[in-house]
Amino acid sequence: MVDVRLPGWSVTRLCYAHDLDLRVGYRVVVDTEVGPLLGRVALTPRRREPYTTPYEIIRVATEEDERVEDRHRELGREVRVEAEKLARDHRIQGVRFIGCDLTLDESYIEVKYQSDGRPDLRPVQAGLERKYGASVSLKRYTFIERSGRAGGCDTCGLPLCCATWSGARSLGPVNPRLARQQGVTPNEKIIGCCGEVKCCMRYEHEVYKEFKQRAPFKNTMVRLGKREGKVVDYSMVKDAVFVRFEPQVKPELVPLGRLARDNPGVRPADPEEWGLSSKDEEPGG
């Protein structure tokens, strides 16, 4: 498998490398659902399980493919000018056309636009299809897609999820409520370069949700041998909770495996951890 960056997509797409000698930066022609596109290899090919349906690479790009791509840059500018003219003719306001991508056979044209609302662009689409004899798609370009296409690193020090992983776009909406459910107070640290809550918050949400279904609620009382204390916080990574036992002031980190024996409904992630310790009868154990 090899990751290829294609025009029109903010993230790389997974493709079959087969026996092709591919290196990072090589240009390749990829067969997609909209037609052949000229892309660039983004990561070194390696054996792995596909996380989505891979595309087929038709060939390594030839000089003729490169010349066609150069012509398409000029044609793309022409298409954007025509789209702006059609928008003016139909009195469509608040829309700006900022990019255009074409398949190598010119059977499909994707025009990107920015707008404050959701204008009715069907007259623009119909006019472009009549003029160029191709299937035309008008795609609203959001801040998330702009960040993904520009790339870069976030505060974690890693490349942006939206720029490196195609699954980031299929996670669904991200909102501050998900951050609160993970025990994180909404602040500027959880806001990504695009101005939205970071994709990793949504990616981790299901893990936190599953953990809370197995762990005791906060502020509830739990038993640990002869001791009884209150749950004050979670440690999802360690599959444990923080419990404050009287007269202790500092909470104690207790794995769910130790709580499961004396507290119905508490389940550790690993069944082998059930009744993890036999020393809980002693205070401070």
Side-chain angles (χ1 to χ4, degrees):
M1 299 291 175
V2 63
D3 292 272
V4 178
R5 190 170 297 281
L6 297 171
W9 278 276
S10 59
V11 296
T12 59
R13 305 296 295 189
L14 199 61
C15 302
Y16 288 115
H18 296 300
D19 297 328
L20 295 173
D21 180 20
L22 301 176
R23 310 290 175 86
V24 174
Y26 278 24
R27 303 295 299 277
V28 291
V29 179
V30 179
D31 184 21
T32 72
E33 62 267 20
V34 297
L37 289 171
L38 187 61
R40 189 182 297 274
V41 175
L43 293 174
T44 304
R46 63 186 186 275
R47 295 187 181 277
R48 53 181 157 157
E49 290 296 324
Y51 53 82
T52 185
T53 303
Y55 288 144
E56 292 284 351
I57 295 179
I58 301 174
R59 61 181 177 273
V60 176
T62 64
E63 291 183 1
E64 178 60 26
D65 294 326
E66 299 283 358
R67 285 194 289 269
V68 171
E69 186 74 0
D70 290 339
R71 291 200 302 271
H72 284 176
R73 292 192 184 95
E74 293 297 328
L75 180 57
R77 283 190 281 270
E78 179 187 318
V79 171
R80 293 201 306 273
V81 171
E82 181 66 20
E84 292 171 356
K85 178 179 179 298
L86 288 167
R88 288 195 302 269
D89 291 346
H90 290 88
R91 299 182 180 179
I92 301 174
Q93 299 180 348
V95 60
R96 186 165 64 94
F97 299 96
I98 60 173
C100 181
D101 294 304
L102 298 86
T103 55
L104 286 177
D105 59 6
E106 299 180 11
S107 63
Y108 174 81
I109 302 174
E110 181 179 271
V111 183
K112 299 179 181 64
Y113 69 92
Q114 288 181 329
S115 64
D116 296 331
R118 296 283 184 177
D120 183 5
L121 296 177
R122 285 177 293 183
V124 176
Q125 181 180 9
L128 292 176
E129 288 181 339
R130 285 194 302 268
K131 181 175 180 64
Y132 295 100
S135 175
V136 176
S137 174
L138 301 179
K139 182 178 180 181
R140 189 167 180 261
Y141 203 55
T142 64
F143 281 106
I144 293 178
E145 290 164 329
R146 177 183 290 182
S147 297
R149 190 155 191 175
C153 293
D154 214 319
T155 52
C156 60
L158 297 175
L160 297 177
C161 294
C162 56
T164 56
W165 180 43
S166 58
R169 294 276 66 81
S170 63
L171 289 176
V174 182
N175 55 63
R177 178 177 59 84
L178 300 181
R180 287 193 292 269
Q181 290 178 354
Q182 295 179 27
V184 178
T185 303
N187 55 51
E188 67 278 1
K189 293 183 179 180
I190 67 169
I191 302 300
C193 301
C194 60
E196 303 288 341
V197 177
K198 294 180 179 179
C199 294
C200 56
M201 301 295 295
R202 181 65 182 87
Y203 179 71
E204 297 167 356
H205 176 66
E206 293 302 321
V207 178
Y208 277 90
K209 182 179 178 181
E210 188 269 342
F211 171 78
K212 289 185 176 181
Q213 291 174 345
R214 299 184 291 102
F217 293 116
K218 285 185 181 179
N219 299 319
T220 59
M221 302 301 293
V222 293
R223 290 177 52 83
L224 186 63
K226 293 182 178 180
R227 296 187 294 164
E228 189 173 71
K230 179 186 290 187
V231 176
V232 295
D233 207 348
Y234 296 133
S235 178
M236 187 273 297
V237 175
K238 296 184 178 180
D239 200 48
V241 293
F242 286 94
V243 182
R244 180 177 289 116
F245 296 102
E246 297 293 345
Q248 295 176 220
V249 177
K250 185 177 180 179
E252 180 179 333
L253 182 65
V254 183
L256 296 187
R258 294 175 61 190
L259 292 175
R261 182 179 57 190
D262 300 318
N263 299 274
V266 176
R267 295 177 290 111
D270 186 354
E272 294 183 0
E273 294 182 352
W274 198 281
L276 188 63
S277 175
S278 60
K279 299 180 181 179
D280 296 327
E281 300 295 333
E282 299 295 332

